[in-house]
């Protein structure tokens, strides 16, 4: 035991100065940035890193005390990430997300996106037809709290007035936008999270969302207000519905991986699609924030139907071009 302690002491005494030097350089680089290091110091770090690895190998081979081995392992790990790790700024990573990562993830889910959009559209058409034939069906698709007086027994003038709400009441729009962002984000997150239940709950949520849309449109159409109602909904609805559809697509991809993992294990399959789904959902939150601004501000302040349609068309073109237009190949990192 005494001999082992003596070996450890001599080993540390001969090499500790280099370890401490490497530790100080890493501390400075992590706290102040790589640019604060001198060129000679940058060249010194790889040399010290290799020496630390050699010391770690010897320490393990001759069974030195565990505390020294743990210290060298931690130091070598820090140096490894400095020498070999990709060092990019936060702004570079954010730019890479919006330029490549998010659009590529969305394009990778194009099949699921088509399915999610089809489910939503079919539910909207069915709900529209049922409410037109029998207005009592309206309450099967729209909760009374959400209807806020926009119900089959409402007058045409009242319904027309709801399409112009906000023109003379601009105060509190910030609160409305915040509420809408929170509410829509919850729907999108549920659509994604429910995918684990073999796609069933995600599909149900998409059906409910489409049914609500169809029922509202049927209500206004019966009062001759279909065109203004579509403009009122689509000024923000293009972005919002697309975001919820993408969230549903991400959820469907997870549910499909759970049900049919293929050659992978079920856990590996879920992890594979989950990474892509996480990228999509990060972007969906951005889309819903933008939709909340349109719904909380633009829809309330812009009253002309043509302007609402123009904004809806512009957002559709922008999102479609952003996600699906061909772009240059991504440069290797």
């Amino acid at each position: 035991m005494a001999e082992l302690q003596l070996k450890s002491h001599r080993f540390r005494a001969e090499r500790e100065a280099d370890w401490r030097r490497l530790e100080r350089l890493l501390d400075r680089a992590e706290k102040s940035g790589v640019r604060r290091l001198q060129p000679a110091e940058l060249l010194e770090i790889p040399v010290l890193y290799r020496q630390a690895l050699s010391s770690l190998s010897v320490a393990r081979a001759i069974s030195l005390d565990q505390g020294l081995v743990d210290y060298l392992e931690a130091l070598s790990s820090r140096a490894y990430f400095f020498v070999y790790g990709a060092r990019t700024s936060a702004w570079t990573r954010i730019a890479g997300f919006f330029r490549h990562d998010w659009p590529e993830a969305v394009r990778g889910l194009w099949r699921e996106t088509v399915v999610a959009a089809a489910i939503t559209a079919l539910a909207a058409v069915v709900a529209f037809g049922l409410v037109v034939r029998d207005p009592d069906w309206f309450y099967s698709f729209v909760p009374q709290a959400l209807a806020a007086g926009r119900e089959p027994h409402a007058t045409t003038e009242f319904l027309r007035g709801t399409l112009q709400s906000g023109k003379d009441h601009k105060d509190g729009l910030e609160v409305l936008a915040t509420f809408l962002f929170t509410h829509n984000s919850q729907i999108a997150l549920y659509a994604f999270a429910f995918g684990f239940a073999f796609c069933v709950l995600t599909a149900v949520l998409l059906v409910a969302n489409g049914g609500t849309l169809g029922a509202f449109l049927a209500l206004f159409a019966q009062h001759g207000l279909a065109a203004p109602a579509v403009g009122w909904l689509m000024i923000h609805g293009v972005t919002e519905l697309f975001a919820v559809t993408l969230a549903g697509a991400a959820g469907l991809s997870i549910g499909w991986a759970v049900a049919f993992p293929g050659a992978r294990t079920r856990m590996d399959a879920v992890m594979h699609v989950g990474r892509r789904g996480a990228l999509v959902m990060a972007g969906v939150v951005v889309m819903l924030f933008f939709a909340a601004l349109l719904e909380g501000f633009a829809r309330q302040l812009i009253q002309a139907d043509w302007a609402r349609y123009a904004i809806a068309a512009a957002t559709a073109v922008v999102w479609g071009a952003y996600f699906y237009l061909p772009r240059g190949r991504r440069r290797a990192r």
Side-chain angles (χ1 to χ4, degrees), residues 16-30 48 71 75 78:
E16 187 170 15
D18 292 335
W19 306 338
R20 297 301 181 188
R21 173 64 175 167
L22 176 59
E23 189 173 11
R24 287 193 297 271
L25 291 175
L26 293 176
D27 288 340
R28 285 175 54 195
E30 292 169 355
L48 295 173
Y71 167 76
L75 181 62
R78 291 177 61 195

Side-chain angles (χ1 to χ4, degrees), residues 202-224:
T202 296
V204 169
L205 187 58
L206 292 173
V207 167
N209 200 46
T212 301
L213 174 64
F216 264 120
L217 290 178
L219 172 65
F220 284 91
Q222 288 178 310
H223 290 266

Side-chain angles (χ1 to χ4, degrees), residues 137-201:
W137 274 102
F138 179 84
Y139 301 102
S140 299
F141 297 102
V142 183
Q144 193 166 6
L146 181 61
R150 293 167 292 193
E151 301 174 12
H153 59 74
T155 64
T156 301
E157 289 304 315
F158 173 80
L159 293 176
R160 182 180 290 110
T162 63
L163 300 179
Q164 302 296 324
S165 62
K167 180 172 60 176
D168 302 318
H169 303 282
K170 300 181 177 60
D171 296 336
L173 293 183
E174 298 90 345
V175 177
L176 176 61
T178 302
F179 166 77
L180 294 171
F181 170 70
T182 304
H183 176 262
N184 295 332
S185 296
Q186 288 176 344
I187 294 177
L189 290 173
Y190 287 149
F192 175 61
F194 287 167
F196 287 99
F198 300 97
C199 305
V200 175
L201 294 180

Side-chain angles (χ1 to χ4, degrees), residues 24-82:
R24 287 193 297 271
L25 291 175
L26 293 176
D27 288 340
R28 285 175 54 195
E30 292 169 355
K31 292 178 181 178
S32 304
V34 178
R35 295 180 181 179
R36 293 298 185 92
L37 298 179
Q38 298 297 322
E41 293 174 329
L42 287 173
L43 295 174
E44 189 179 2
I45 289 179
V47 176
L48 295 173
Y49 165 60
R50 288 193 293 270
Q51 291 176 354
L53 281 181
S54 177
S55 299
L56 176 59
S57 178
V58 173
R60 287 173 172 169
I62 62 177
S63 301
L64 295 183
D65 65 273
Q66 189 60 40
L68 178 60
V69 173
D70 292 342
Y71 167 76
L72 290 173
E73 286 179 346
L75 181 62
S76 298
S77 298
R78 291 177 61 195
Y80 172 84
F81 285 110
F82 180 87

Side-chain angles (χ1 to χ4, degrees), residues 80 98 100 143 228 230:
Y80 172 84
F98 285 104
H100 299 290
V230 171

